[in-house]
Amino acid sequence: MKTTPFARSLINRSIGEAMAAFARFGVALPPWAFWSPAEWADKGPECDEIRDCMLGWDVTDFRSGDFHFIG
């Protein structure tokens, strides 16, 4: 499924709002939560557990088409 520019900006805004809420409540994310795809590609087997457990950002609307309500 291709993401439209509007949907991408909504997702980015939602991620930003979540990160701001985490900061307000003292929730710290691990450094790898902020790695770019390029940074992930440079990581070796020392990061396999993170990959195997599929840890990281997962922003979705479960194909509902209603990200604002479901996502």
Side-chain angles (χ1 to χ4, degrees):
M1 177 189 247
K2 190 151 178 106
T3 304
T4 66
F6 172 77
R8 186 73 246 173
S9 65
L10 177 59
I11 291 167
N12 288 341
R13 185 172 58 246
S14 297
I15 290 171
E17 290 171 0
M19 290 171 55
F22 295 161
R24 278 195 312 275
F25 291 100
V27 175
L29 297 177
W32 48 262
F34 304 98
W35 292 347
S36 69
E39 288 172 299
W40 274 107
D42 287 340
K43 303 300 178 187
E46 71 277 6
C47 295
D48 284 348
E49 182 177 9
I50 298 169
R51 290 184 194 100
D52 292 345
C53 293
M54 296 188 292
L55 302 175
W57 288 108
D58 186 13
V59 179
T60 184
D61 67 359
F62 305 99
R63 295 189 180 251
S64 70
D66 192 1
F67 177 79
H68 196 71
F69 183 73
I70 302 292

